[in-house]
Each structure stands twice: as C-alpha cells, then as structure tokens.
Amino acid sequence: MRKIWTLDWILIFASALIFGSGLLALYSLSTAENTLSINPFTRQIAFAIIAIAALSFFAFFDYAYLRAYSTVLYFATIAFLAGVLLWGATVRGTAGWLAIGPVHIQPVEFSK
C-alpha cells in the first residue's frame, strides 16, 4: 500500500487527461465513419486496458531483479534487432517490424 503513494500522480493524471482527449477525438471519428470492421475507438479502449495492466505491473516491479539477467537480455535484444534485418516485415513503409502470425512487433521499442 505504501508504494501506491510513491507513484507520480501528476504524471498519471496528465497521461489520463491526454488519453481522454484522444479517446474523445477517436469517438467523434468513429461515429462519422462506419466502414471499418472494428472502429478505432473500440480498438483504443482494448489497447488502454492492456496498457493499464502493463503500467500496474511495471510500477510495482523491482527492476533491480533484472540485473542478474542483463547480459542475456542484451544479447536477446541484439538477436531480435538482427532478426528484423533478416526477416523484417514492411508496415506502412517501414521495414522495422517482425511479423509473428497476425501480430507485428517492433523490436526497437523493446531495445529502447
């Protein structure tokens, strides 16, 4: 319970405010345009649920635990980036993605 009070509540509130304004814009677009199978508003809500779960996990995760695995994580990241060079998929003109079934992953985001 003590860790909840140590969170940066101003940052969380500002992120929620920006997210809410983005949702408002997507909602107005999704009501005007009904040609997509899944409208952008519903899709963004699904991504928000995933993001809130990830935020909750990483906010309370002790990252010092990863120090023992830093070398393995480093070389795994290099391998994923090399995999993009060999098997990269082009998405919206950018060849920086790995296609795993219907899901496209951008390994450079993990390496950051």
Side-chain angles (χ1 to χ4, degrees):
M1 185 69 175
R2 184 175 291 251
K3 282 193 171 188
I4 290 176
W5 297 111
T6 61
L7 293 176
D8 190 356
W9 287 103
I10 294 173
L11 180 63
I12 291 173
F13 180 72
S15 298
L17 206 62
I18 292 170
F19 173 72
S21 64
L23 272 182
L24 186 63
L26 280 176
Y27 181 74
S28 67
L29 286 173
S30 66
T31 57
E33 196 177 295
N34 203 5
T35 59
L36 301 173
S37 61
I38 288 185
N39 64 6
F41 179 74
T42 307
R43 195 169 138 189
Q44 191 66 26
I45 291 289
F47 286 134
I49 292 170
I50 294 168
I52 290 170
L55 177 128
S56 300
F57 174 75
F58 286 112
F60 300 110
F61 181 73
D62 185 16
Y63 62 88
Y65 173 75
L66 295 176
R67 187 175 299 151
Y69 303 103
S70 63
T71 305
V72 173
L73 289 172
Y74 175 75
F75 286 112
T77 303
I78 297 297
F80 275 119
L81 291 173
V84 169
L85 292 174
L86 298 174
W87 302 291
T90 302
V91 175
R92 294 184 192 101
T94 304
W97 299 78
L98 285 177
I100 302 171
V103 178
H104 291 86
I105 297 173
Q106 196 172 19
V108 72
E109 295 300 324
F110 293 110
S111 64
K112 286 182 198 176

